[in-house]
Amino acid sequence: MPERIRVQVGERQVTLSHLGKPLWPGFSKAEVLDYYLKVADVLVPHVRRRPASFLRCPTGADGPLFFTHEAPDGLPNWIATAAKGKHTQVSLDDTPTLISVVNAYCVELHVPQWTADTGPDLHDRLIFDLDPGDGADMTTCARVGLLVHEQLRADGLTGVPVTSGGLGLHVYVALDPPWRVTDATGYAKSLAQRLTSAHRDLITFTRGARARSGGRVLVDWQQNISRATTSAPYTLRIRDAAPGVSAPVTWREVEQATKRPFAFTPADVVARITEHGDHALGLLEPAPY
């Protein structure tokens, strides 16, 4: 396999390199790029116009990892970037941009809950990051996810569940029109506190290993502050043995996961998109509240 090849991606020519390089055992850089090319049509709308950050693995998943807000060196000059504070960040607005940054080993994609159109003071999404402590697992997170879902419904909001790519679960809410960041963080903290009060043996809203001890799940509301970023729907996640993947799911699947945990491979996610489309479409076409 040649070390560098030039391919057509949409309306752009993109140079790809080291395609045979293994990033996981039995999973090459070419397969990573192929996954992102296959999911680009559903992934890009969830990250478009959001300043992206990346977890990079230039020597593979078992080598040093680097989290960066900066646009990687060597990107084509047609790629859109945006200044965010002292950083120059990529805006993942189309498939050629996505493939170019993944070729630079930006395997994990992270974005904030606001877009360049509104700026960091107005958020068009809420997120609750359900993070299990020692003794908790995906089944525990699924139980907590259902409780978050019920509370959101009681408050007149619609939650969209997405696996984290590991043992956790994300619950998103589309905000149309966007909320001020103070309102978004205030509401998210209030919901997490209410659930903690009602389920102290199961839930905490406080970060730290001690708070999550005893099989508790952190309902992390602080992912809603403007400087925070969260792994994007459909991104691969860098895990030791094989790539994880952040997969939108249905609430019926979350209910089933309280007894039988789900885990998805990249091939599973591609097949799900082919059969069902984007399970997170509600984030892009929100129902009124």
Side-chain angles (χ1 to χ4, degrees):
M1 183 178 292
E3 189 168 297
R4 295 169 68 88
I5 63 171
R6 196 157 177 81
V7 299
Q8 189 75 27
V9 180
E11 298 180 353
R12 299 287 188 180
Q13 288 274 316
V14 177
T15 299
L16 306 179
S17 60
H18 305 101
L19 295 180
K21 184 174 184 176
L23 297 187
W24 286 270
F27 204 89
S28 68
K29 185 181 180 185
E31 289 170 293
V32 170
L33 287 161
D34 181 64
Y35 166 79
Y36 276 114
L37 190 60
K38 287 176 177 174
V39 304
D41 285 349
V42 293
L43 186 156
V44 168
H46 291 292
V47 297
R48 184 179 285 128
R49 302 290 292 153
R50 299 179 192 273
S53 302
F54 309 105
L55 186 60
R56 302 180 69 203
C57 57
T59 62
D62 60 350
L65 306 179
F66 304 93
F67 190 84
T68 179
H69 299 291
E70 293 289 342
D73 293 336
L75 291 180
N77 58 15
W78 44 261
I79 284 181
T81 59
K84 180 186 172 190
K86 63 182 180 180
H87 302 294
T88 300
Q89 295 186 241
V90 173
S91 185
L92 296 170
D93 293 344
D94 52 42
T95 301
T97 299
L98 173 65
I99 297 303
S100 295
V101 300
V102 173
N103 183 66
Y105 299 99
C106 297
V107 173
E108 270 192 35
L109 316 175
H110 295 247
V111 291
Q113 311 314 318
W114 51 272
T115 72
D117 300 317
T118 62
D121 293 333
L122 288 174
H123 287 207
D124 66 341
R125 285 190 208 157
L126 281 170
I127 186 169
F128 298 91
D129 181 5
L130 311 185
D131 189 5
D134 288 342
D137 57 14
M138 176 57 80
T139 62
T140 324
C141 283
R143 289 173 58 200
V144 174
L146 292 173
L147 293 171
V148 172
H149 177 45
E150 290 171 5
Q151 187 62 64
L152 288 170
R153 290 179 62 183
D155 293 342
L157 298 171
T158 300
V160 176
V162 181
T163 70
S164 70
L167 295 179
L169 185 70
H170 296 158
V171 180
Y172 286 95
V173 179
L175 302 176
D176 184 20
W179 291 8
R180 293 181 302 175
V181 60
T182 51
D183 294 333
T185 55
Y187 171 77
K189 183 178 182 179
S190 170
L191 184 145
Q193 288 175 319
R194 282 180 280 157
L195 288 178
T196 298
S197 295
H199 306 277
R200 291 191 179 277
D201 60 335
L202 182 63
I203 295 171
T204 179
F205 74 98
T206 305
R207 287 182 172 181
R210 178 177 295 181
R212 289 184 296 152
S213 64
R216 292 181 181 86
V217 172
L218 168 65
V219 177
D220 190 354
W221 57 273
Q222 294 186 68
Q223 291 291 317
N224 294 286
I225 64 177
S226 292
R227 68 176 181 273
T229 62
T230 308
S231 55
Y234 297 107
T235 185
L236 295 182
R237 303 300 305 274
I238 299 175
R239 299 293 183 259
D240 291 337
V245 58
S246 180
V249 292
T250 67
W251 284 114
R252 175 60 179 159
E253 288 176 313
V254 175
E255 185 177 353
Q256 293 169 343
T258 62
K259 300 180 178 65
R260 188 173 58 256
F262 40 42
F264 300 105
T265 68
D268 292 335
V269 171
V270 172
R272 285 166 63 85
I273 293 167
T274 301
E275 184 173 358
H276 302 292
D278 181 12
H279 277 311
L281 192 61
L283 290 177
L284 306 174
E285 300 176 1
Y289 54 83

